[in-house]
Amino acid sequence: MVLVFPFVPMASNSTSKLLFCILASLFLVTSAQNCSNHIFPANRTFTSCKKLPFLEANLHWNYNSSSAEVSIAYRAKQDPKGWVAWAINPTRQGMVGSQALVAFRNSNDSMIAYPTQITSYNPSMERENLSFQVSNISADYSNNEMIIFATIGTLGNGTTVNHVWQSGSSVSSNIPQMHPLSSPHLQSFGKIDFQTV
C-alpha cells in the first residue's frame, strides 16, 4: 500500500502532525486486518496470529496450556491448481527434517489435507505419520487462499518451535510437485512461540 499525503496549504505544524498520525493509523489498521481480523468459514476463531514475511501467508492459532495442544489455521495465497504446506521442524531450522501438513485440490476437485515428512530436498510429499499427534486436519479454499486447519500436540519441547511454510504451483496424480527455488521460497522458515498472543 502506498500512502499519499495531501498537500494542505497554510496548515500549522500541529495540524500536519495530526494528519500524518491519522493516515499512519489507517495504514496500520488496514495491515493488521490481513491477520487478526480475518473471518474464517464455519465461525472458527483464533486468539493469536502472525503475518509471515514470505509467500503471502499467515498463521493463526489457539494454544491450550492444559493439554499443550495448538489449534492452527495456516492460510496463504494460492492458485486453485497449486498446493500449500506448513511444518514444524523438531530438530533444526529449515525444510529437511520437518513434519508437514500439506493441502491441495485433489483430482475430485475437493480440498484435501494430510501429514507428510520432509526428509530431503526433493520430498515425495506422500501421506505419512508424524512424530507428534495431528488431529482435526482439514483444508478450505476461499478468496484465492488455501487454508489448512489442524490440532497438533502435545508439544513435548515447549511452546517455541522451528516452523517452515511453503507453496508450489502444481499437483500431479494427487502428489504436490517441487516448489520454486526463488528467494522467498528459500527464506520461508523461522521460529514461533505459541504462547505469544
Side-chain angles (χ1 to χ4, degrees):
M1 175 182 286
V2 177
L3 290 180
V4 178
F5 297 99
F7 175 71
V8 181
M10 308 290 286
S12 69
N13 194 24
S14 60
T15 304
S16 297
K17 286 180 182 177
L18 178 62
L19 181 60
F20 175 79
C21 289
I22 291 170
L23 291 172
S25 297
L26 288 172
F27 173 74
L28 292 174
V29 167
T30 303
S31 298
Q33 286 176 345
N34 291 336
C35 185
S36 60
N37 294 336
H38 184 78
I39 298 172
F40 288 96
N43 296 320
R44 297 180 194 236
T45 58
F46 296 89
T47 56
S48 303
C49 70
K50 180 172 180 147
K51 182 172 175 54
L52 302 176
F54 304 103
L55 306 180
E56 297 185 78
N58 295 270
L59 182 65
H60 303 253
W61 70 91
N62 295 323
Y63 177 65
N64 185 330
S65 57
S66 60
S67 66
E69 291 180 328
V70 182
S71 297
I72 65 102
Y74 170 77
R75 64 184 181 91
K77 289 284 185 192
Q78 184 55 282
D79 183 270
K81 295 180 180 179
W83 59 268
V84 299
W86 178 81
I88 289 176
N89 192 324
T91 58
R92 59 183 167 172
Q93 288 197 342
M95 184 180 82
V96 175
S98 63
Q99 315 252 322
L101 308 175
V102 62
F104 56 90
R105 194 180 295 277
N106 68 15
S107 56
N108 295 328
D109 205 33
S110 60
M111 288 299 295
I112 184 172
Y114 60 80
T116 188
Q117 295 195 33
I118 310 299
T119 57
S120 72
Y121 285 107
N122 190 16
S124 65
M125 300 283 279
E126 294 183 15
R127 188 184 299 263
E128 294 183 67
N129 291 329
L130 306 184
S131 65
F132 49 83
Q133 183 68 32
V134 178
S135 59
N136 304 321
I137 185 168
S138 64
D140 187 70
Y141 188 83
S142 61
N143 299 320
N144 298 315
E145 288 185 330
M146 285 189 179
I147 309 171
I148 301 172
F149 297 102
T151 301
I152 57 174
T154 57
L155 298 175
N157 296 325
T159 61
T160 300
V161 299
N162 301 312
H163 74 132
V164 185
W165 60 99
Q166 199 51 259
S167 65
S169 60
S170 67
V171 175
S172 177
S173 301
N174 286 335
I175 301 294
Q177 301 302 294
M178 182 69 182
H179 64 76
L181 296 177
S182 58
S183 181
H185 290 271
L186 300 180
Q187 298 180 71
S188 57
F189 63 91
K191 285 186 177 290
I192 195 154
D193 183 355
F194 288 123
Q195 282 191 317
T196 303
V197 177

